[in-house]
Amino acid sequence: MPKPYPTLPEGTRIYAVGDIHGRLDLLETMGKAIESDLKKRPIADPVTVFLGDYIDRGPDSQGVIDFLVDNHHRTPRQICLKGNHEASLLEFLEDAGTLYHWEDLGGMETLLSYGLSHHDLMGSAGAESVQTIFRENFSKLHETFFRSLELYYKRGDYLFVHAGIRPEVALEEQSEDELMWIRGPFLNYEKSFGLFVVHGHTPVEHIDRRTNRLDVDTEAYASGQLTCAVLEGSEMQYITATTDGWELFNFIPTHK
């Protein structure tokens, strides 16, 4: 049977933030929300886990990465995981031929945020030209950030990962692609994964808690709502950040 109440070590609180997708405005609001919560409820070991998909689709991917890089050494400790969209950017840096696949995922918005023009993207120069301009505009600091992203983070009874895991496969044997892309086999699995999985990648209208996992991807770029699970001991809360501000909720609906 799945463990009904996953727990964290005493003195630890984890803020797990869902897919941002270029919404710097919502990320800034979420940052203020976490800071405010910590002032009201100080704790010895606060950790913020960003679950990946920082870029694409939304209007300010470069601003989001600036925010994450600037906050990397601040309190609370920050852990950034790798999503499939970050993987697509890194693939494009190596292989210009992947441009059109990346653009299908919303990569054009990221390229525009890094200073490329519509003329650069729509011209006849081709993918190699776009790659050359992007490499010139993409700072080494940002590239280092992308290449340092972790695939997952474990703490207490929790596993944090972008997309999910393949059921009944040891964590060390999971493929990188599945950790960033998996859906059906993971989402449809109702038994215990051994650890309670907190993930993004699959958009949901509201934060979605199941007996074995928690989905916090509320499609921020389109919905205007960025969501963060707040985990401490055996308790779960969540924060929603919108253009109007933020709110901390004590109840997460449970679905069977």
Side-chain angles (χ1 to χ4, degrees), residues 1-254:
M1 292 292 292
K3 189 173 182 178
Y5 300 109
T7 61
L8 287 170
E10 185 176 353
T12 300
R13 184 184 305 142
I14 293 182
Y15 299 89
V17 182
D19 303 32
I20 300 164
H21 281 305
R23 288 299 301 265
L24 176 61
D25 55 341
L26 300 180
L27 175 58
E28 289 176 334
T29 299
M30 184 62 76
K32 293 174 184 176
I34 293 171
E35 289 177 7
S36 177
D37 188 47
L38 282 169
K39 286 180 181 178
K40 292 178 181 178
R41 305 185 301 148
I43 195 164
D45 186 19
V47 181
T48 302
V49 179
F50 291 97
L51 294 167
D53 281 5
Y54 314 117
I55 61 169
D56 299 348
R57 296 182 174 149
D60 197 357
S61 292
Q62 183 178 24
V64 167
I65 303 305
D66 281 334
F67 180 100
L68 295 174
V69 169
D70 288 346
N71 282 270
H72 189 63
H73 298 294
R74 298 182 185 178
T75 300
R77 184 158 56 96
Q78 176 176 291
I79 293 168
C80 293
L81 303 183
K82 186 178 182 181
N84 57 299
H85 288 259
E86 287 74 54
S88 295
L89 181 151
L90 290 171
E91 288 172 1
F92 175 62
L93 284 176
E94 305 300 327
D95 180 2
T98 65
L99 173 63
Y100 307 109
H101 171 68
W102 184 27
E103 286 186 340
D104 285 343
L105 295 174
M108 182 177 291
E109 286 79 6
T110 296
L111 291 166
L112 291 169
S113 82
Y114 276 92
L116 280 82
S117 68
H118 285 284
H119 179 266
D120 293 328
L121 300 176
M122 301 299 184
S124 59
E128 290 79 8
S129 175
V130 173
Q131 183 193 56
T132 297
I133 299 170
F134 179 60
R135 282 176 171 172
E136 292 171 352
N137 292 2
F138 192 57
S139 73
K140 289 296 182 182
L141 187 62
H142 282 206
E143 183 174 353
T144 298
F145 171 82
F146 273 74
R147 295 193 185 280
S148 69
L149 297 173
E150 303 288 342
L151 289 171
Y152 60 83
Y153 174 66
K154 292 193 298 181
R155 191 71 179 273
D157 295 326
Y158 286 95
L159 172 68
F160 301 86
V161 64
H162 176 63
I165 58 175
R166 181 161 291 278
E168 301 178 18
V169 174
L171 186 57
E172 58 272 14
E173 296 176 6
Q174 300 279 336
S175 74
E176 182 170 336
D177 278 352
E178 287 189 315
L179 294 172
M180 293 187 296
W181 286 93
I182 197 169
R183 282 204 169 106
F186 167 69
L187 298 174
N188 296 328
Y189 192 73
E190 297 182 351
K191 299 178 183 178
S192 173
F193 294 109
L195 294 168
F196 189 91
V197 182
V198 181
H199 67 98
H201 185 59
T202 298
V204 289
E205 185 175 357
H206 303 288
I207 190 168
D208 185 9
R209 179 183 175 183
R210 305 295 174 105
T211 57
N212 56 0
R213 62 180 180 85
L214 179 67
D215 187 344
V216 296
D217 177 11
T218 49
E219 205 168 19
Y221 78 94
S223 71
Q225 178 174 292
L226 180 64
T227 301
C228 168
V230 184
L231 312 171
E232 181 179 348
S234 60
E235 296 182 356
M236 292 185 182
Q237 299 172 296
Y238 66 103
I239 297 170
T240 59
T242 68
T243 54
D244 295 324
W246 62 272
E247 190 170 354
L248 175 67
F249 296 91
N250 292 315
F251 174 71
I252 297 177
T254 301

